[in-house]
Each structure stands twice: as structure tokens, then as C-alpha cells.
Amino acid sequence: MNPCYIGKFPRQHFGKKTTLITVLLKFILKVNLQSNGSSDSYQQRLSRLEGHKESLILQVSVLTDQVEAQGVKISDLETSLVEHQRKLNSTEEMLQQELLHRTSLENQKLSLMGEVSYLKLKLADMEGKQGNGTERQHKAEGLLKELRILKDKVEHLENQKLQYEKKLKATKVKKKKKENNLSGSFSFGHSWLQAADPDGGQFRRGGLRATAGPRLTRTPEAYDPSSDMNIPFSQWTKEQICGWLEDYGLGQYVSLSRQWVENGQMLLSATPQDFEKEMGMKNPLHRKKLQLALRAFTTKTVEKSAELDHIWVTRWLDDIGLPQYKDQFHEARVDGRMIQYLTVNDLLTLKVTSQLHHLSIKCAIHVLHANKFNPHCLRRRPGEEKQPTPSEVVQWSNHRVMEWLRAVDLAEYAPNLRGSGVHGGLIILEPRFSSETLALLLNIPPQKTLLRRHLATAFSSLVGPQATQEKREYGNATGHIPLTTTAKVKPKKLGFTQFSHLRKRKPDDSADYICPIDTGALTVNGISRLPSAALRGLSPSLVRQAEKQEQPGIKAETNGHKQ
């Protein structure tokens, strides 16, 4: 038997192996005695076998010691393995806590960044007002100096008047002829005095200026918004127009407007090219803002959206989850009236190129239309509802969706929705927005199938069974293009045939509006949605029958586009 192979047996069997070796040696001896007829004696053979036996016993002893040493090492390694396993578990727990802590810090950091951005906007707005106030103060000081000069002149005229009155009293005792002469002189002087004092009385403050040239700035008396609304815009004066431009957020164009505009009618008849040339209005969205306001004056229409200023719009971008565009919207002075007339090219001018963000703004405007541009229509905090309906979910802000993710045990992925443009209106109104789209935005790895399945179940419960079925049917339709997070929107290009009619017709952007208005139906991603359904909650399930009736036309259009 090979000694190396002996070392692989457990040590408790070594005693039995020694006996077995002895038996084998005796058996070999017996066989040799029977088969071999040589001249070797029995004692010589026995002594050789005994020598082999002792050698084998010695080898077994050495191997036994080695096995015992290896057993001790194995025991030490097992103890060390248990200790390392305990340390590894402890390290994993610490790493998990660190990840949770880091996620919380990231969430706080994003919130603080949003607050800082909003404060920067307010600071810039206040600095602009402060700069305008400083300019007004300088101009007011110049006007005050002129008023002081005018006061000195009036006092000088009053002294001359007193001297004439004394001379008149002194000449009353003279002859009638001299009185007539003096009366004529006094009449001349009195008529001259009635020209700085038109009412014939003493000097009153607040009268007309005696200095020549236009005013350098408007005074509080010169511009009264309430009094301006009582007269047509075409009859507004230069000072009223400049004051209105400043209050409307276009104060940077006041100086050039004062040099060009004479009255309101001149501004109403001006073209966008005139705004750019005469007023220096290079920003196309500033021109659009001014045109929309002038159109409202002309048509005398009162729009609820006009009550929402550009500061509210920056907060609205936070609510729909697109705070990264606040600087561009603030610089363009986009207000509530401009929101409902935004086009695709307008958003591209504002550097909004993501297709998903276009859809987010589109659905958010749809929600504003349905709520008649109520500035407080979006819900930012969880309410008391246990199972919200789709008509309630459609009014959820981006922060409210993040709160829902925390409620369904996905808190670690909630911060990924910051800046994604996901809000309740997008979830309910966009038929291509599914749980797979939400999983991509949350950065949930595809290999985490259980987590994605949990998200899909929670998403279906949120939007309701009918909306879930409709999203599934829309996704399975012929020619369906899935919604991705990386798709970009390209500007609309004019065809060759459209150039020939470009001069013959006026530009009409109504077909390019992000969210069309004043039409028979509101179109969301190619599907016609009736306005009445929007007023009933904007849920796709409310217009399911209408969409099914229009489905053949939609399929034909989709197939034609595919071909």
C-alpha cells in the first residue's frame, strides 16, 4: 500500500490499519512459503518482513503527526473564517447605513439647490428693481432741483406782484387819467402773471412744469393702472406705456421705448420687426410676450392665465419637476399667459430639448386648462386619502409623486425623480408613460426583476385598472414607438412648397402649440381627448369609448406614417 495514500485517511483508523498491515504481512509470508521453494529459511524471511513492518509503522506515525498538524491548521482557518464573516456582515451593515445617509443628504442637497436657485431669482429681481429705483431717485433729484428753480421764479413773480399792488394803491388818489394809465399797466402785468399761474390765484403745488422738454421719468401721479383700464390702450400716453412696460417685466426696454413710442396706437400697429429694431427687443419670447398682451388689449379678452406672473412660473417648474429650466424661463419672462401659447420652437428657444420634458410641460399645461389656471391646483403634500383616484393623481406635483414612492417602500430611488419632469399629469395623461418608463427614470437595474415587478404593481394600483389596460393596449398597437428618456425634439423645418406661400399668409402658431386650446378636442400624443373629459378629471378612462371610436383613423394615420 502507498504511504502517501495512507495520510489521506482519518487518524482514528490508523490503529486498525496497523493490524491490517500485520495481517497482510503474515498472509504474504504464508503465500511465499507455499509458492516459493527457494533455499531461504523461514527466519530470514520473517526478519525481512519485520523490518518492513517497522518501516511501515514509522511512516504511519509520521503521517499521523502530519494529519494532526493539518487538523489544527484547519481548525484555526475555520475560526478565522467565522471572524472574517462576522466582520464582513458588520461592514455590509455599515455600508447600507452609509448609502441611506448619503441618499438623505443628496435629497437635502437637491432641495437646498432648488431653494438657492429660487432665492437667486428673487435676488436678481430685487436687484433689478433696486437699480430702477436708484435711477428713479437720480431722476427725481433732478426734477426736485428743477422744482426749486421754478419755486424761486414764482417767488420772484409774487414779489413783483406785491410791488405792482403797492403802486396801484398809491396812484388811486391821483387823477382819473393817471388811474386809467396805471390800470392799463396793471392789466398788462396781471395778464403776464396769469401765464406760470393759469387759475388767476396764488401758486399751487402739483401744477404744470415751466421747463421745456419731456420728463425724464414717470412720477407716481403719471401712471395709475386702475385709471388706465378705464381708457382705451390706443389713447395711452408715452408715460403710461413706459410705466406699464416696467410693471409688466419689460423694464429694460423703457428707455428706447420713450424715444420711439408716442402713444398706445403706435404700439398696437407696430410689427415684431419694429419691436426688434426700435426697442432693441432681440429676445423672440419678449416680443411674443408683448404681442400677446397687446392682442388682449385689442380684443378686450380677460384671461385667467394673465394673473400668473413670471415669478409664479418659476415655482410651477419646481412643482412639475423641471427646476433646471428656471433660469431660462425667468430670463424670457415667461408668465401664465405665455404658458398656454407656448410652441415647440418656444421650448427649444428655452433650451428644452428632451421629448419627455416636452410631454411633461404639455400635460402640466393641460392640467392648468382643466383647473382654469388656478395657481394652487397642484398638490404638493399627501392628504388623508387612502387610495387616491386618477382625478386626484392628475393634480400631483413632482414632490407628491416622490412621497408616493416613499409610501410604497421605494424611498432610496425617490431622489432620482428630481429634474425628471414626472408629475401626476404626465403619469395619467400620457398613454406612453408606463411603469417601465418610471423604472428607467428611477435607475432601477433591469436585473432587479422583483423590484420592478413591485413597482409595476404599485403603478397599476395608482392609475387604476382601466387606465392600465389602455396603456397596455396603446403599447401593443401597430406602429407604437416606446417612450424613451433620451429622445430629443428637433425644430420644425419648412418644406419647399411652404416657402412660396410664406409671404401671402400671416404666421399662425396655433397648430404648433404644446397644448392646443379653443379647438374641438385636446390632442395628447396623437390621441384626441375631449375637453369635457379634461374638466372631469383628465383621466384617460373617462374617454375610453371616444378613443375606441376614433381608433381606426388613428391606426390608418399611424400605418401611413410608418410606410
Side-chain angles (χ1 to χ4, degrees), residues 22-34:
T22 305
V23 173
L24 288 174
L25 291 175
K26 290 181 178 180
F27 177 75
I28 293 171
L29 179 61
K30 184 177 181 181
V31 171
N32 290 333
L33 290 174
Q34 293 178 357

Side-chain angles (χ1 to χ4, degrees), residues 201-214:
Q202 294 184 353
F203 172 76
R204 296 183 305 168
R205 297 186 182 275
L208 298 176
R209 301 193 319 159
T211 56

Side-chain angles (χ1 to χ4, degrees), residues 199-360:
D199 297 331
Q202 294 184 353
F203 172 76
R204 296 183 305 168
R205 297 186 182 275
L208 298 176
R209 301 193 319 159
T211 56
R215 293 191 177 187
L216 298 177
T217 183
R218 64 186 179 95
T219 60
E221 296 84 2
Y223 174 64
D224 185 7
S226 60
S227 63
D228 290 342
M229 299 305 297
N230 298 327
I231 59 177
F233 184 82
S234 59
Q235 300 178 10
W236 280 21
T237 63
K238 179 184 299 185
E239 294 300 328
Q240 289 173 325
I241 292 174
C242 292
W244 171 73
L245 286 174
E246 191 166 357
D247 292 342
Y248 197 51
L250 300 175
Q252 63 267 41
Y253 305 110
V254 168
S255 59
L256 292 177
S257 300
R258 183 175 283 108
Q259 301 175 10
W260 173 61
V261 178
E262 295 296 335
N263 50 43
Q265 183 59 39
M266 186 175 181
L267 201 61
L268 288 174
S269 59
T271 63
Q273 290 77 15
D274 295 332
F275 297 151
E276 183 176 2
K277 179 181 178 182
E278 303 295 341
M279 299 176 62
M281 196 173 289
K282 305 297 184 182
N283 193 322
L285 293 177
H286 289 178
R287 297 195 294 269
K288 183 172 184 176
K289 180 183 178 76
L290 182 57
Q291 284 182 285
L292 291 175
L294 294 176
R295 187 177 69 179
F297 278 119
T298 305
T299 58
K300 297 181 180 180
T301 57
V302 179
E303 296 175 310
K304 187 69 175 178
S305 60
E307 301 177 4
L308 308 177
D309 59 4
H310 62 279
I311 299 297
W312 178 87
V313 172
T314 58
R315 294 195 297 267
W316 175 73
L317 289 173
D318 266 329
D319 288 336
I320 65 175
L322 296 174
Q324 62 269 37
Y325 302 114
K326 289 164 65 174
D327 292 339
Q328 292 90 318
F329 274 71
H330 182 269
E331 183 180 355
R333 293 296 191 269
V334 178
D335 55 11
R337 181 189 282 123
M338 292 182 67
I339 281 179
Q340 66 177 2
Y341 296 109
L342 281 177
T343 64
V344 173
N345 287 335
D346 290 339
L347 289 182
L348 294 176
T349 303
L350 293 167
K351 300 180 181 179
V352 183
T353 59
S354 171
Q355 183 188 31
L356 182 63
H357 294 173
H358 275 243
L359 294 174
S360 174

